[in-house]
Amino acid sequence: MARMRDVWLALGLAHGSCALWTPNGSSNNVSAVAVSAVAPTGAGVPLPAFVSYSIEFSSFPDFAGNLSSPNTFSNNLLNNLGDLTGTKPFIRVGGNTQDYAVFNSSIAVAEIGIVNPAISPDYPTTLTIGPAYFESYQTWPNTKFIHGFNLGRNSTFAREGLIASVPYACKALQGGRLLHWELGNEPDLFKTSAQGIVRPSNWTEQSYVNEWLNWTRAIKAAMTGPCPDLASSQNYTYYAPSFAGTSNSLDPIRTWEDGLDTDKDIAVITTHNYISGATVPGVTLQGTLMNHTSNVVSIAKQLNESRLLRGLPANLGSNNLPFIMGETNSLYNQGRPGLSNTFGAALWGIDFNLWCATNNISRVHMHQGTNYRYQSWQPVDTNITSKGTKAPYYGNIAVASFLGNIVTSTPSIINLPLPNDEESAYAAYVNGSLARLIVVNMMSYNATDYNSNYTDNYPRPVQQYTFQLPPGNYGAVQLQRLMANGSDAITGITFDGYSFNYELDNGMPVLLGNVTRGETAGVGRNGQLSVDVPFSSAVIVRFAQQSGGNGWSGHGHGHGPWW
Ligand SMILES: *[C@@H]1O[C@H](CO)[C@@H](O)[C@H](O)[C@H]1NC(C)=O
Ligand SMILES: *[C@@H]1O[C@H](CO)[C@@H](O)[C@H](O)[C@H]1NC(C)=O
Ligand SMILES: *[C@@H]1O[C@H](CO)[C@@H](O)[C@H](O)[C@H]1NC(C)=O
Ligand SMILES: *[C@@H]1O[C@H](CO)[C@@H](O)[C@H](O)[C@H]1NC(C)=O
Ligand SMILES: *[C@@H]1O[C@H](CO)[C@@H](O)[C@H](O)[C@H]1NC(C)=O
Ligand SMILES: *[C@@H]1O[C@H](CO)[C@@H](O)[C@H](O)[C@H]1NC(C)=O
Ligand SMILES: *[C@@H]1O[C@H](CO)[C@@H](O)[C@H](O)[C@H]1NC(C)=O
Ligand SMILES: *[C@@H]1O[C@H](CO)[C@@H](O)[C@H](O)[C@H]1NC(C)=O
Ligand SMILES: *[C@@H]1O[C@H](CO)[C@@H](O)[C@H](O)[C@H]1NC(C)=O
Ligand SMILES: *[C@@H]1O[C@H](CO)[C@@H](O)[C@H](O)[C@H]1NC(C)=O
Ligand SMILES: *[C@@H]1O[C@H](CO)[C@@H](O)[C@H](O)[C@H]1NC(C)=O
Ligand SMILES: *[C@@H]1O[C@H](CO)[C@@H](O)[C@H](O)[C@H]1NC(C)=O
């Protein structure tokens, strides 16, 4: 942490008259970026719980615990986000292991998993769950879930188990815990998956639709007795189709044309997205993750799918449904160490989420599982990873803080184009006026490289960003920084001076005394605001004229709520 001081020295320097230094020796401040007075039509409007999670089905008992041993650390981390956005994150319980999980009412433990390292070292590919599994849905107060039913396993035992699990699932989730159901994870890979092929090559979009309709009807019938409220047509709704991508072995558009929403029980269109893969050659932190263009390119195909689905005839059901990321993260196959678990990946996550928000991908479930490299937190100690808050969580916090309370002060989000791949900026408008800006600087600053690349004479580079604001009476604006020693840092991360680390207070916010906070900036008479942003960091700018939500007034030192 000693180097944190150097960051502030660097900031002091940037406020003075010295030219900025960057690793390639150029001085490259961004010239004034125009910010409009009102959000343009078409600005992104996030759904409640925009910042949400997807938890690997087999890892869910680790994340949530059970009634005799609830995981309070996870709950605290979820509360921190709920305090910011007005709703605790929605939790989708699913992933590859959702389609491996076979229900057996006679086992006494939550689950029995067998890991086959030849197929995947990260999760069990043979998995049996029992009634105790569903206790995990009852440990976190005020939390809503999407439970993922198994569609993949096709033995008679597995199919009978699906229906036998319904009363346990619906009883655990009734009374306000259920958001929606899901049936099947990434069925567009059922014919091709490297983890095991579960459908023959002649299985078409129409075959999938027929199965999906058949089993969602069977689940509903099995729910009517034990949970009549949830089985009502008003309440019986799905996230679907949960495809892995836009161009795998089932075409999403064709799937809707073939009648996926015949029963009009799909509430939300979900898609999955990964920027690249953990073992794909050429993947780097700077080039693949800390790169706004990389996010734009990756999400473009999803936006094309969303546009096509909106354009289908109304009777097919897709034209006016929200389109969300039901499972996503940086690099598929659970992420790569040194990339997906770093502060650079946290910065990537901010840009990825806000680019989605800008484009009306209106909720994002960041995926995680026990020991996964891209996880936001590790819920339990294992012999691979210690229990703790991981770097990506801090990116989730920054997104939540920037969006503010979506329930009471729904923001409209736009991107403010910047010249380089390695930087991005967004504006949030509330009640028709500019409320917040965020700048994400993704220019690599490798703290481990510090001694070889950066000397005391040339500290961590700082990039200055200038915004031409709409006319207004701004007064001082407040800055909140997301900071760490470098893009390669995996610990020592703070947001606005707060740590959420497990070791400090079980994931609850702890204001550190040794990190600078409470900075303000002034808007010039020419309406320009300049903000200095150290390489590999992010800053939120809050305008005092916007009260409400989690604005300026809530940010005393040690007074009131943490946010
Ligand atoms: C700042 O405080 C935190 C929490 O007490 C501690 O872990 C960290 O080492 C401190 N950093 C410095 C530079 O003293
Ligand atoms: C860049 O911004 C700094 C202030 O942070 C200023 O001192 C410097 O002159 C600027 N450089 C250029 C080339 O505009
Ligand atoms: C130097 O680096 C900056 C920031 O990454 C970049 O925008 C600029 O194009 C680079 N200049 C040269 C000459 O490479
Ligand atoms: C509940 O969790 C505890 C701690 O992980 C475990 O020992 C216990 O077996 C669990 N109970 C059930 C019914 O799975
Ligand atoms: C059932 O699953 C097996 C693999 O588990 C697969 O080979 C077979 O094609 C599937 N059968 C049908 C009818 O989908
Ligand atoms: C796929 O082919 C098998 C024979 O290989 C046949 O039994 C099955 O009905 C076919 N399924 C579809 C959906 O056409
Ligand atoms: C349809 O669901 C019923 C259970 O309600 C099951 O017995 C049948 O095998 C299913 N048919 C297909 C084609 O999946
Ligand atoms: C839907 O669920 C809510 C909450 O459980 C319940 O109050 C309502 O009665 C249900 N609707 C129907 C039609 O059963
Ligand atoms: C950023 O990603 C784009 C799209 O993949 C790529 O063309 C570009 O070279 C990347 N930029 C850097 C600095 O690696
Ligand atoms: C690590 O833990 C797993 C599961 O608890 C166990 O199967 C494995 O043998 C352990 N590995 C070592 C090296 O202790
Ligand atoms: C940071 O620098 C160290 C030392 O040069 C290197 O081993 C490491 O791979 C770098 N990390 C990243 C994320 O670039
Ligand atoms: C640091 O310097 C080494 C050797 O000149 C270079 O390979 C590396 O890319 C530099 N790292 C950064 C982050 O600029």
Side-chain angles (χ1 to χ4, degrees), residues 115 371 381-384:
V115 175
N371 300 330
D381 279 312
T382 69
N383 55 18
I384 297 170

Side-chain angles (χ1 to χ4, degrees), residues 458-471:
Y458 296 111
R460 182 171 180 170
V462 175
Q463 187 88 359
Q464 185 177 75
Y465 296 87
T466 300
F467 297 94
Q468 181 68 52
L469 300 178

Side-chain angles (χ1 to χ4, degrees), residues 5 14 33 56 59 124 135 182 230 291 339-340 368 394 397-398 405 490 495 539 559:
R5 291 202 182 85
V33 176
E56 184 66 50
S59 299
E135 268 189 30
E182 181 178 58
L230 294 187
N291 179 345
L339 272 71
S340 301
Q368 56 179 335
Y394 287 85
I397 284 279
N405 189 316
I490 55 171
F495 175 74
V539 64
H559 304 294

